[in-house]
Every structure is written in C-alpha cells, then in structure tokens.
Amino acid sequence: MRFLGIGDSCDLGSLYRRLIDDGHEVKVHIGNELCRGTLAGIVPQTPDWHHELGWVAQAGQDGIILFENVAGGRGALQDHLRGEGYNVIGGSAYGDRLENDRGYAQEVLAEIGLNITKTHSFNKIETALAFLRHHPSRYVLKFNGPGFASSDNYVGHLADGADVSAMLTSKMNLLTDDSTFILMDHIDGVEMGVGAYFDGSRFLTPACLDWEHKNFFPGGMGELTGEMGTVATYSRTQKFFDLTLARMAPLLKANGYLGYININTIVNAEGIWPLEFTCRFGYPGFAVLEPLQKTGWAALFGGMVRGGMKRLEVEPGFSVGVVLTTPPFPYTREDVDEAVGLPVIFTYPAGQANDRNVHYGEVGLANGQLVTSGKYGWTMVVTGTGSSVEAARQQAYEMADAVFVPKLRYRRDI
C-alpha cells in the first residue's frame, strides 16, 4: 500500500515507521521547517505533497492520505480531496470546528443528550475579567484554535477565580482580534477519555478508554502539556462508549468525518461530563494504543476507507505510555533557544529497540546515530502492556530506564 502523510511536525512518525517496516511505501510532508529533522533518514519526506497526489492515485484503493492535525483549514481540504476521489483519513471540516470551537462543541454535546458544564465564551479579556468580578468561582481557562499550546490553558485552583483573572491579565498583549477563549465551570472528578475509529458511516469497535496525565510534574504541578503519559484499554469499554461517543455517529456521518475521534470527560457521582473533542489522531494516544491493536495499521486503514470492517482485533488488558522529553519541552524552540542533536542510546539488548513498545517521536539519524530533533522536545514514547495497570506500568518503566539521552525528563508516576 501507499501512504502520504500530511502535517506540520510529523506527529505520526512512529506510525509511518511501522508501515515501512511492514513493507508499505510512505512519503511524509512536514510543514514546519523546525520539524523537518524528525525521522530524517528513517521516513522519506516530500517538500510538496501536491506533487505526490498522482503517486497516491496510482495505487487505487491501496493509496491513502493521512492527515495529522486540524490547523490551517485542513479539515476542509480533506473534504475537498475526498470529493476528488482520494482515500483520506484524519477528520473533516466539521471535526475541525468541534475541536477548535469549544463553545460550539458543548452545544453539540447538549443536543445529543449529554451533561454539559456551564461554558462562557469570550473574545475580549476585558469582558472576561468583568465576568469574573461579578461571578467569582473556580474556572478552567481554555483558548480556542490550533494557534494555542496546551500550556496556554489553565485549570483554576482558587474559589474566587483570582488566579484565572491573573492568568488572563498576563496574556492581555498576546491575543489578537481573532482570538477566542472560554471559561468553563470547574468540575471535580476523574478525568478520562473515550475514543474510536470512524469509517465515514459507523464506528469500529471496540472503543478505547484512556486516563491522561497532562501536568509536567506529578501532583498536578507545573505546566499543562499535551500529555506526559497515559493508561489505556480496549477491555470493558462498551457501556461508557454507548453513553457518550457512540451518540455522535449520525452527526459524524452527516458531516463527512473519517478518522479517529476522542471525547475527554470528567466522571463523578453525578454522571459523565464531556469536556472537549480531539478530532484527529491523538499524539501520543495512537502510540499508547498500538501495542493493544492486533490489527495492523495498514489493515485498519484499508478497512476504514473500503468500508465493511466492523471490528478491529485487540489484546485484553492495559497499555501504559510514558512520554520521554528533552528541552525545550514543554515549550518550543521558537520560545527557548535549545539545541537538538542529543544522542539517543538504548541500553537494552540489541534488537529490542525495534519492538512494539518503543515509539519514535522527535528523533532522526545524523551520521548513523539516532539523535533528538524537531521543535518541541517530544523525544519518544515507551509503552508497556499487561493484564493489570501495575504490570503494564512496570514494563513501561523498564523500557524507559533503558533509554539514555542527555537532559532526558519524564514522569515516574504514570
């Protein structure tokens, strides 16, 4: 099969590498210049994806385009390419709106009968500050759109909202006229997600459940990152899926969605409270799920674009993923002057570095040596699997402890 990956930072590098190892042809377009060292020497790159459309089309049903992210109107582009007859997996314009317009997403969730927390939308910080003065409470601040990093969002701690007010004031000069954001009432509970692959008509089952760890440090301390580690499973997921994500199927079908989708929620004694959508491959979510998926990536993607594939074969039990990072994470090389090119050395026996529990992130080859690369410092993800969370966690940290990179940092409590 032939796969053309389109994105800004080669988020799916580990997936592309698996496809190549399995004998498939892959080309990747990396839009951000700072990210073009990612998987260099490992995955072939193309400077202009438009020139590769003929290459994809020559493979017929075995030619697939994979979109990594929702930035820059790429959902609408996916819809256009599907209209031109290409097999495209990633999302849609509708998915872009669900992820990027949080207020709209809450309206959709309410319409399909799910609980929603009060969400207040703003386009001016002054208006939000006035709201906080008149309605003091604990809030979660989230900015809309792909132009904001996870570290820009903030979970309030103070009952009067003073810390959220201070955060907003500190960003007074950073927002543009087009910037929008929300204040969401804080809800106590257990944060967990539910995700599944949608083939344009129906969800493939089973769905997955996941529990993310987002703060840079344990105990809810430090910056909010994209993710520091995750526990995931495909076991005993049907009931939660039926109560939540499954209800989106008619809307996704009507709006041309084809790809992976996840809803993040808070669960407490009062019920399930959906927070936001991820309408694309999650990173590192796809890597955490991979060891549990007996169905390979090519078979999964082929089944999605051809239709008729109702289930994917999965392993029972749990996967635990740990994100291994290097500076400038959790910021970027645009924010912090930090060099790449640090050596990546595996200390376990030769050959084990290529198994299903090591997932390359921002690394590439330089003179035959694996080194750090890219914009963010997402160096790699290691995973472990087992019948219990404890067993999976032990295996994941055995893998993590066998990776040496100068300045390497990761959480020990996933």
Side-chain angles (χ1 to χ4, degrees):
M1 298 180 70
R2 286 182 177 176
F3 295 91
L4 173 63
I6 300 174
D8 292 322
S9 51
C10 199
D11 290 344
L12 302 182
S14 176
L15 189 157
Y16 302 139
R17 180 169 166 258
R18 300 288 194 233
L19 289 170
I20 292 171
D21 288 345
D22 290 341
H24 304 286
E25 297 178 82
V26 176
K27 295 182 181 181
V28 180
H29 171 73
I30 302 175
N32 190 302
E33 184 176 356
L34 288 176
C35 300
R36 289 174 186 158
T38 300
L39 276 292
I42 301 173
V43 175
Q45 296 185 22
T46 177
D48 188 343
W49 61 265
H50 299 83
H51 292 166
E52 309 299 339
L53 292 178
W55 175 78
V56 173
Q58 288 172 3
Q61 280 292 90
D62 286 337
I64 296 176
I65 303 173
L66 301 174
F67 274 81
E68 297 182 355
N69 54 11
V70 297
R74 289 213 169 115
L77 175 59
Q78 292 178 64
D79 293 340
H80 173 74
L81 289 171
R82 290 189 186 105
E84 295 288 311
Y86 293 97
N87 295 320
V88 180
I89 297 176
S92 68
Y94 179 69
D96 284 11
R97 187 176 183 192
L98 286 177
E99 178 164 346
N100 291 330
D101 188 340
R102 299 175 191 274
Y104 172 72
Q106 288 292 304
E107 294 174 5
V108 170
L109 290 165
E111 289 172 359
I112 63 173
L114 299 186
N115 299 325
I116 63 168
T117 183
K118 289 183 179 180
T119 302
H120 317 275
S121 298
F122 301 93
N123 59 9
K124 292 185 181 299
I125 287 180
E126 295 87 350
T127 307
L129 292 174
F131 171 84
L132 287 166
R133 285 194 297 271
H134 289 93
H135 305 280
S137 187
R138 188 177 178 188
Y139 295 99
V140 178
L141 166 65
K142 294 185 177 182
F143 291 91
N144 291 320
F148 294 94
S150 298
S151 56
D152 291 318
N153 299 328
Y154 179 73
V155 178
H157 293 272
L158 302 181
D160 63 357
D163 55 338
V164 174
S165 294
M167 285 294 295
L168 280 169
T169 301
S170 72
K171 295 183 181 296
M172 190 75 75
N173 297 324
L174 300 180
L175 271 64
T176 67
D177 291 339
D178 297 328
S179 299
T180 61
F181 57 96
I182 64 169
L183 294 176
M184 180 179 287
D185 288 7
H186 184 271
I187 299 177
D188 285 316
V190 176
E191 185 175 357
M192 62 184 290
V194 54
Y197 298 99
F198 191 79
D199 72 356
S201 298
R202 64 178 66 85
F203 281 108
L204 277 62
T205 57
C208 74
L209 298 178
D210 62 72
W211 295 263
E212 298 178 351
H213 300 58
K214 293 185 177 180
N215 287 88
F216 196 25
F217 299 107
M221 294 183 65
E223 298 90 337
L224 282 174
T225 70
E227 207 167 323
M228 291 303 297
T230 299
V231 178
T233 186
Y234 280 111
S235 298
R236 297 175 293 168
T237 63
Q238 189 66 44
K239 183 175 182 179
F240 197 92
F241 172 67
D242 288 341
L243 290 171
T244 54
L245 186 58
R247 298 185 185 184
M248 286 293 299
L251 289 172
L252 296 176
K253 180 178 180 180
N255 288 280
Y257 193 90
L258 202 161
Y260 181 81
I261 183 170
N262 179 285
I263 297 179
N264 194 35
T265 75
I266 293 289
V267 182
N268 60 23
E270 283 70 48
I272 302 169
W273 303 85
L275 302 179
E276 60 189 7
F277 288 95
T278 298
C279 298
R280 52 187 162 79
F281 293 99
Y283 180 73
F286 83 90
V288 181
L289 292 174
E290 183 185 52
L292 296 174
Q293 295 176 179
K294 295 170 69 174
T295 301
W297 290 117
L300 171 60
F301 296 152
M304 289 176 68
V305 298
R306 295 179 187 119
M309 181 179 182
K310 297 180 180 180
R311 292 184 58 85
L312 63 156
E313 296 300 315
V314 298
E315 300 281 0
F318 297 87
S319 175
V320 170
V322 182
V323 178
L324 309 186
T325 77
T326 51
F329 188 89
Y331 302 101
T332 76
R333 286 171 56 210
E334 293 172 339
D335 305 315
V336 179
D337 185 15
E338 188 71 36
V340 294
L342 301 173
V344 179
I345 300 171
F346 299 102
T347 61
Y348 37 70
Q352 289 189 17
N354 294 320
D355 70 14
R356 298 185 72 191
N357 286 330
V358 176
H359 315 267
Y360 287 0
E362 289 187 309
V363 297
L365 289 176
N367 299 318
Q369 170 68 53
L370 194 67
V371 298
T372 62
S373 65
K375 175 181 176 181
Y376 300 98
W378 283 78
T379 303
M380 70 175 62
V381 179
V382 294
T383 51
T385 58
S387 59
S388 67
V389 175
E390 291 80 6
R393 181 179 185 275
Q394 179 179 347
Q395 187 181 89
Y397 280 108
E398 287 174 355
M399 300 298 290
D401 291 341
V403 179
F404 173 79
V405 186
K407 303 183 182 181
L408 189 68
R409 300 89 52 87
Y410 54 93
R411 279 178 56 167
R412 303 288 308 182
D413 65 328
I414 306 303

